[in-house]
Amino acid sequence: MSKLVWDQSGKRLYETGVDHGVLYPIQTGGVYSKGVAWNGLIAVTESPSGADVNDIYADNMKYLGLVGAEKFGATVEAYTYPDEFAECDGSVELVKGATIGQQNRKVFGMVYRTVIGNDVDGNEHGYKLHLIYGATAAPSEKAYNTINEDPEAITFSWELSTTPVNVTGHKPTASLTIDSTKADPTKLAELEKILFGDTETEPRLPLPDEIAQLLNVA
């Protein structure tokens, strides 16, 4: 038996920041390939919903609670976006330099990174990789304002809904998170080569089963 101890040195953890955004438009066959860097990310707000409990009564008492399916959504805010995101946002190039809107929206996946800090290492303690699958961006408003003595850059925002992908032995999911402080460093480095690419391979977004196999410690 051991007594609980609070706020030990090195265990005062926090999470902050958002960077290393990557967009993966879905390709033929449902493959998330040809990832491109997403510069200018401001925030990604994850918004799970559903999982509501529907109470069932019998014999004048609560008989059981049926839990509904959970859905994963998110809001992405950014100063800019990759050219490849245009099709995901319902735009298609009519001719070079001219695009039209209100077109079919392409499904995509994305990755972004957040920082894990603590009281000893600060922001250098570690990080989390957040993977999103089956995302569709809803139409969003864009506000263009006059330049004045206090100029501000335009910010863009998109509401994302998702369709889960299969995971062997588990329910389908649209989100996956990897903690660098817990994953095997060598295997994580191999995964990051896949996600971000290198001199020999194009970046792509692997599905959860491939990630589980890659990160599994034998």
Side-chain angles (χ1 to χ4, degrees):
M1 302 290 288
S2 59
K3 184 178 179 180
L4 294 175
V5 179
W6 285 265
D7 297 325
Q8 289 179 287
S9 179
K11 294 188 176 182
R12 301 175 186 178
L13 300 173
Y14 61 88
E15 194 169 345
T16 186
V18 58
D19 60 15
H20 281 58
V22 183
L23 170 74
Y24 304 89
I26 199 166
Q27 307 297 321
T28 303
V31 177
Y32 298 92
S33 60
K34 298 182 180 178
V36 292
W38 191 324
N39 299 315
L41 273 184
I42 300 172
V44 180
T45 304
E46 299 183 356
S47 308
S49 61
D52 298 320
V53 178
N54 182 24
D55 293 336
I56 304 297
Y57 289 84
D59 300 319
N60 295 326
M61 61 181 290
K62 181 177 177 179
Y63 188 64
L64 53 84
L66 296 177
V67 180
E70 183 174 334
K71 297 182 291 184
F72 179 86
T75 302
V76 176
E77 298 179 61
Y79 285 120
T80 187
Y81 51 87
D83 290 341
E84 291 80 357
F85 185 70
E87 287 187 290
C88 305
D89 199 24
S91 297
V92 173
E93 190 173 62
L94 185 61
V95 294
K96 186 171 183 178
T99 58
I100 55 175
Q102 294 82 55
Q103 305 303 301
N104 292 333
R105 291 173 177 263
K106 195 171 187 178
V107 176
F108 63 94
M110 69 177 297
V111 169
Y112 64 96
R113 188 180 73 167
T114 56
V115 172
I116 303 173
N118 69 7
D119 56 309
V120 175
D121 304 320
N123 288 352
E124 303 301 319
H125 182 64
Y127 57 89
K128 288 182 180 179
L129 294 173
H130 303 260
L131 286 61
I132 299 177
Y133 298 93
T136 304
S140 58
E141 68 176 26
K142 300 177 178 68
Y144 300 98
N145 299 311
T146 185
I147 296 175
N148 55 38
E149 66 273 12
D150 296 311
E152 295 182 356
I154 295 169
T155 59
F156 302 97
S157 177
W158 300 271
E159 298 288 336
L160 307 186
S161 58
T162 60
T163 301
V165 297
N166 291 329
V167 185
T168 301
H170 301 275
K171 292 181 179 180
T173 186
S175 66
L176 189 156
T177 304
I178 300 164
D179 188 332
S180 73
T181 66
K182 299 176 181 178
D184 179 88
T186 301
K187 295 178 183 291
L188 179 57
E190 289 299 315
L191 174 59
E192 290 181 331
K193 285 183 181 180
I194 297 173
L195 292 172
F196 305 137
D198 59 18
T199 56
E200 299 177 352
T201 59
E202 292 284 349
R204 64 180 179 86
L205 179 61
L207 295 175
D209 282 352
E210 182 181 351
I211 293 174
Q213 184 177 6
L214 178 62
L215 295 183
N216 185 41
V217 178

